[in-house]
Amino acid sequence: MAKHSVTKRFGILTAGGDCPGLNAAIRGVCRGAHDRYGMEIVGIANGFRGLIDEDTKILKPEDFSGILTRGGTILGSSRVKPFGGTTSEKEVVDSDKVSAIKETYSKLNLDCIVVLGGNGTNTTGYKLSREGLNVIGLPKTIDNDIFGTDKTFGFDSALAIGTEAIDRLHSTAQSHSRVIVIELMGHKAGWLALHAGVAGGGDVILIPEIPYDIRTIGQHLEKRAKSGKTFSIVVVAEGAISIKEAEMDKKDRKKFRMENGPSVAYRVASEINAETGMETRATVLGYVQRGGIPSATDRVLATSLGTAAVELLANGKYGRMVALTGSDIGSIDLRVPEGKVKNVPTDHYMIDTARAVGTCMGIGADV
């Protein structure tokens, strides 16, 4: 016999970029809600677009069975945002989209919407809660940059892929006595590049939180070469920025980037070549980091966060995001992560760890 639940019928969606663990989280929510509490589950297709277009279906056990190890998301995703961001003066709201979402929510007789996503998705969830909808959020992103949780599902899987890529580049760099720059994702935070760089033995790690000085990098690489080390691996977060760029305004920075390569890996490779004369190549790992099956760690985390969301549903504790703090899974108010990015603190132990093993973080003190 099913336990009593405040929530009788809820919708579930995945929004933003895909990442390993989404299906594991969907399964955790749906299995717990259906098996333990007998809740009715409405799957919403393609993120918030599904709410706008009323693209939904009732999810049965056969729909969320056998998906634990699958990559991607059975619900589909999109980056449609009913709240379009902000201008210098006020928040931009697409009132037609918001109205359509509220209408669909009411028409489907939902008690709550469970949203699985990153910063943008959970921020949208909070804004919808201010519009009168009941919302519960789950933190997913390979970037690990959601404020209020120690770890997001998707990060561990992407870390393993990034580390393997660095491992594989070592042999090519060594064979050809080259400097190879590898660019990892991470948006505006350096968690992925920092962890993969340490795990893969990167000789230089560049993250957005520490603007780099190309002269410092050049000196470090030349010092390695003089000591007989004929190759180097430079790990760069996609949001990494030079001291020179940091001093530019937004318009000049955009112009500089358009004129100096398609992404930061190519800019850094060009700068290293100009600074040192060393043969340098760039590799952008790209979407490979987001694909494939989730790691065991991500399966466990996603499942645990999913089942924790079920308890919030059952007890009618809406307007919250499930979160990992230390070794405990609990929840925080959805307004906590709104519009924030969890950056790597410049005094984080991982930065000191990198430096202690001789890794250059791109600034003068590293030489």
Side-chain angles (χ1 to χ4, degrees), residues 244-259:
K244 179 181 177 181
E245 289 177 279
E247 293 171 349
M248 299 177 184
D249 61 31
K250 193 173 182 179
K251 182 179 179 182
D252 288 342
R253 188 182 304 129
K254 183 178 180 180
K255 181 174 182 289
F256 172 80
R257 290 178 175 180
M258 289 180 66
E259 295 172 348

Side-chain angles (χ1 to χ4, degrees), residues 81-85 91-94 97-98 101 123-128 130-131:
K81 297 179 180 179
F83 303 89
E91 181 179 81
V92 176
V93 179
D94 190 326
K97 289 180 180 177
V98 174
I101 287 173
T123 293
T124 297
Y126 172 64
K127 291 176 180 178
L128 288 174
R130 292 191 317 198
E131 294 286 331

Side-chain angles (χ1 to χ4, degrees), residues 8-267:
K8 307 300 182 185
R9 180 180 168 97
F10 70 93
I12 183 169
L13 63 82
T14 55
D18 69 304
C19 82
L22 276 170
N23 283 326
I26 292 168
R27 173 180 173 272
V29 174
C30 293
R31 287 290 297 267
H34 178 273
D35 297 355
R36 179 174 284 184
Y37 294 102
M39 298 181 206
E40 195 170 19
I41 308 159
V42 179
I44 299 164
N46 303 318
F48 294 104
R49 179 187 294 164
L51 277 174
I52 295 166
D53 298 338
E54 201 179 332
D55 187 359
T56 65
K57 63 172 283 190
I58 299 296
L59 295 183
K60 300 295 186 182
E62 55 267 28
D63 295 312
F64 45 82
S65 177
I67 65 172
L68 175 65
T69 62
R70 285 172 57 181
T73 164
I74 61 168
L75 297 174
S77 188
S78 73
R79 295 188 182 276
V80 170
K81 297 179 180 179
F83 303 89
T86 59
T87 67
S88 58
E89 298 177 356
K90 61 181 180 179
E91 181 179 81
V92 176
V93 179
D94 190 326
S95 57
D96 289 340
K97 289 180 180 177
V98 174
S99 295
I101 287 173
K102 292 167 76 172
E103 185 176 336
T104 300
Y105 182 91
S106 177
K107 187 182 294 185
L108 292 173
N109 195 30
L110 300 178
D111 296 317
C112 182
I113 302 170
V114 176
V115 301
L116 286 66
N119 284 309
T121 299
N122 281 283
T123 293
T124 297
Y126 172 64
K127 291 176 180 178
L128 288 174
S129 72
R130 292 191 317 198
E131 294 286 331
L133 278 61
N134 293 327
V135 180
I136 290 172
L138 272 77
K140 71 88 195 163
T141 172
I142 68 169
D143 305 333
N144 198 41
D145 64 348
I146 298 180
F147 197 85
T149 184
D150 289 351
K151 194 174 183 181
T152 58
F153 66 86
F155 174 72
D156 186 76
S157 302
L159 171 58
I161 294 166
T163 301
E164 181 182 358
I166 295 169
D167 290 345
R168 290 177 179 274
L169 287 175
H170 268 90
S171 58
T172 294
Q174 186 173 25
S175 297
H176 295 276
S177 299
R178 287 175 179 165
V179 176
I180 293 187
V181 180
I182 178 170
E183 179 181 321
L184 301 184
M185 287 181 169
H187 198 46
K188 295 181 179 179
W191 296 104
L192 187 56
L194 179 58
H195 281 73
V198 170
D203 304 300
V204 178
I205 300 174
L206 306 180
I207 61 176
E209 293 83 353
I210 305 176
Y212 68 85
D213 176 12
I214 192 61
R215 290 172 298 179
T216 297
I217 297 169
Q219 290 168 16
H220 182 78
L221 296 177
E222 288 170 344
K223 183 178 178 181
R224 279 179 52 80
K226 287 175 182 177
S227 71
K229 296 172 181 176
T230 61
F231 72 96
S232 293
I233 301 293
V234 180
V235 181
V236 187
E238 65 179 337
I241 186 170
S242 68
I243 291 174
K244 179 181 177 181
E245 289 177 279
E247 293 171 349
M248 299 177 184
D249 61 31
K250 193 173 182 179
K251 182 179 179 182
D252 288 342
R253 188 182 304 129
K254 183 178 180 180
K255 181 174 182 289
F256 172 80
R257 290 178 175 180
M258 289 180 66
E259 295 172 348
N260 289 274
S263 68
V264 66
Y266 293 93
R267 291 195 297 275

